[in-house]
Amino acid sequence: MGKVAVVATVVVAATAVAVATVVVRRRMRSGGRWSKAEAVVRELEERCSTPAGKLRQVADAMAVEMHAGLASEGGSKLKMLISYVDNLPTGDEKGLFYALDLGGTNFRVMRVQLGGKEARVAKQEFEEVSIPPHLMTGSSHELFDFIAAELAKFVANEGEGFHLSDGRQRELGFTFSFPVRQTSISSGTLIKWTKGFSIEDAVGEDVVAELTKAMERQGLDMRVSALVNDTIGTLAGGRYVNKDVVVAVILGTGSNAAYVERAHAIPKWHGLLPKSGEMVINMEWGNFRSSHLPLTEYDQAMDAESLNPGEQIFEKLISGMYLGEIVRRVLLRMAEEAAFFGDTVPPKLRIKFILRTPDMSAMHHDSSPDLKVVGNKLRDILGITNTSLKTRKMIIKICDIVAARGARLAAAGIYGVLKKMGRDTIIRDGGEKQRSVVAVDGGLYEHYTFFRECLKSTMTELLGEDVSETVALEHSNDGSGIGAALLSASHSQYLEVDES
């Protein structure tokens, strides 16, 4: 063999060795990256762990905080607000009632014709109105004038099938989903605005008085007979359909719970005990916190960077506003520490709240063989292309961990409320069997199937098979709208006239 041939052979061999070495190194690096990524997910799983024993501790802590919040103002992280709702709908309500639901950038107006036990909700109509952005930061006068004008237009179109009894004033249930210090069933002062509203001169004012003055300026003869928040409305709407409803839970963008308490079990209540002997309590449970909650570094960082650090800790673990963001933070750490998506961190992955919970839910529910939905979401939202099936499966696993923790903690919260009420057993104090229904509303519960099913199975796990047969979770769609109209009926100024 000539010298040239020998050199060529040596070069080819050397090149082959070099290529092989690069491939091996790449594989080793890839293997190293993968094991680092797996370690991040393993650690997440350990930190998010919610065994039944831990959930029982969370439930017990919830019940303890409920007692403390009922005993005194500021006695607990749970506000346990007295709603002044002492009569929930019975189904006997009759007449025409209105509702106004203000809780965001839109508000809804609704009218309902109630026909008593036989006809129930005989007819209902509603309209949704967008609030012009400048009114969200203007004056109280301007906002309430706009709302009252739209309400007056809606009343003017009262058509067939709606009848107001002679000589009666129209009555309205007002769902106002902002923090309010309630002073009676039909009055409450605004503590602070949220959700993009910032109207300084309304803070500290009675929102019912503001609305009433605006209605008078419009020449609209209408009385606000009930001021409620969306959770109380959900409870009322649920009770109207099913007399066994005793708790309402919102699992949507945010989270809250309300329940029926015995009036004599509220030490901070100093008024006359209501005739019904009951009082609905708005827990504001999103603010619950306990050393038993399984918090991770992702939760702590998200809380520290939030608009309300140290507040709404429970809500930040279980509600739709935050689940997708927790998943994003885990993926970012994997991209930074394990080069999970390649050598550079995808820039969009650094954008807070870019991964919304509905997108997380769509990925989680992907049943295609190649997890196509996961691939598309990563590409369209985060700009991450060419992901392997192995990578997509890992992302499903992260969704599993975060959603399961949220659902199981929400179940522990509900279990704690039932425990406080003495409804975690089959037999009541009096010896008779009891059935308890929890009315649940909110997009997270309605649309995130894995979350909903996990919540239900965890309730069974905590209650046990026998008791769980007497406790039901029922979807109460749009309780807050119709619930407000029903509460205006059950707290009508004409109630005693009708009963006599």
Side-chain angles (χ1 to χ4, degrees), residues 300-377:
Q300 285 157 344
M302 183 174 71
D303 174 51
E305 295 165 26
S306 70
L307 295 171
N308 53 348
E311 301 293 318
Q312 301 297 105
I313 298 299
F314 193 52
E315 182 173 80
K316 285 169 182 168
L317 293 173
I318 68 171
S319 80
M321 172 95 183
Y322 302 100
L323 298 182
E325 172 63 2
I326 296 164
V327 170
R328 181 197 70 84
R329 285 172 179 267
V330 177
L331 294 178
L332 178 60
R333 185 177 162 203
M334 289 164 75
E336 287 175 339
E337 294 184 12
F340 191 57
F341 300 112
D343 291 332
T344 56
V345 175
K348 286 186 175 176
L349 197 50
R350 296 192 186 279
I351 301 171
K352 288 173 194 169
F353 290 97
I354 191 171
L355 185 64
R356 295 162 55 250
T357 302
D359 297 314
M360 168 190 173
S361 169
M363 291 196 294
H364 201 173
H365 293 141
D366 187 358
S367 56
S368 61
D370 60 349
L371 297 178
K372 191 177 179 182
V373 177
V374 178
N376 290 345
K377 289 286 180 191

Side-chain angles (χ1 to χ4, degrees), residues 404-425:
R405 178 187 66 166
R408 286 175 67 78
L409 287 174
I414 296 170
Y415 179 53
V417 176
L418 292 171
K419 238 179 154 174
K420 162 71 181 75
M421 298 173 78
R423 287 179 171 268
D424 57 332
T425 58

Side-chain angles (χ1 to χ4, degrees), residues 14 43 49 59 91 115 229 267 290 303 378 431 435:
E43 183 191 19
S49 172
N229 83 346
S290 157
D303 174 51
L378 290 172
R435 180 170 159 73

